[in-house]
Amino acid sequence: EGNKFIVPARGITITPDDKKLFVSSCLAQKVSVIDTTTNTIIATIPVANCPSEVDISEDGTRVYIQHQFATILMTIVDAETNAVIKSVDFPPGVEGALDFFLSPDERYVYTICFDPNWVMVYDMMETNPGKVVKAVIKTRLDPFNAAVTADKRFLYVTNFTSDSISVIDTQTNQVVDTITLPLPSFQYLPLITKNW
């Protein structure tokens, strides 16, 4: 209330003990830390370059902040102190990093790249810039969001423009199936176009 500018929330994650939320805002270039017992903002973490999605390590000690349009791929923050631990550089020429999946050992980040139509597997422990990209997995048009199975074996990626889902095997880093979603019924088209 009283804001003159719309600053939309983007990514969100919660600590394993359910006590803190971390919420990113691309336009404000920050991550807000929210105490869930009072539902109030208790801290803000300034992170430039359009923070998009956020996730937290399984033990709840590190917050991973992905940047959508940046020279930085990922900012890693201490979940207790809110201090930046490390920034990971993004390979040049890649934009539109909308979502990501972090491997259980926190070494690899599977970055969903909207503009080049691929999932980039990035090794965050590699120090040789020529070897940081472990794989580039081609998807259908405009990959957008991701979900992973409980055993972390399969990554499901929605493809916005082609209305499909790419199924990626994280052991082989290959697309093993594509699920085509049904087109909308023509009876709903006037309603859809009216709301746009």
Side-chain angles (χ1 to χ4, degrees):
E1 190 172 306
N3 286 343
K4 294 185 180 179
F5 299 100
I6 297 172
V7 184
R10 184 66 188 277
I12 189 168
T13 192
I14 193 165
T15 53
D17 61 8
D18 295 334
K19 290 184 177 178
K20 287 201 290 190
L21 283 172
F22 292 84
V23 182
S24 69
S25 171
C26 175
L27 294 178
Q29 299 192 58
K30 67 181 177 183
V31 171
S32 297
V33 185
I34 298 169
D35 181 336
T36 58
T37 59
T38 62
N39 289 334
T40 57
I41 296 172
I42 55 172
T44 56
I45 306 166
V47 283
N49 303 315
C50 189
S52 55
E53 288 302 317
V54 291
D55 201 359
I56 196 158
S57 60
E58 289 185 11
D59 64 3
T61 60
R62 289 167 302 286
V63 178
Y64 289 81
I65 305 159
Q66 180 177 261
H67 300 273
Q68 182 176 344
F69 300 109
T71 55
I72 298 171
L73 168 68
M74 190 76 61
T75 298
I76 305 167
V77 170
D78 184 301
E80 183 63 34
T81 66
N82 302 323
V84 173
I85 299 169
K86 179 181 179 182
S87 291
V88 179
D89 290 339
F90 209 120
V94 179
E95 293 183 352
L98 299 181
D99 201 357
F100 72 97
F101 158 66
L102 191 64
S103 64
D105 62 1
E106 300 176 47
R107 177 166 185 165
Y108 300 104
V109 59
Y110 287 70
T111 300
I112 314 307
C113 299
F114 185 88
D115 291 329
N117 304 312
W118 68 48
V119 174
M120 179 184 66
V121 185
Y122 190 98
D123 186 342
M124 293 196 293
M125 303 296 180
E126 179 60 61
T127 56
N128 182 338
K131 295 183 178 180
V132 291
V133 178
K134 183 178 179 190
V136 172
I137 307 163
K138 191 75 174 150
T139 63
R140 295 280 176 95
L141 286 177
D142 301 330
F144 205 89
N145 289 115
V148 68
T149 54
D151 63 1
K152 315 298 187 204
R153 174 71 190 271
F154 294 103
L155 184 66
Y156 292 83
V157 178
T158 62
N159 301 303
F160 183 82
T161 304
S162 61
D163 230 6
S164 63
I165 300 168
S166 297
V167 184
I168 296 170
D169 185 331
T170 60
Q171 290 184 353
T172 64
N173 288 330
Q174 298 201 2
V175 174
V176 293
D177 202 357
T178 300
I179 305 164
T180 302
L181 299 173
L183 292 173
S185 170
F186 286 109
Q187 70 185 24
Y188 295 112
L189 281 179
L191 181 63
I192 294 168
T193 54
K194 183 179 179 182
N195 288 331
W196 285 92

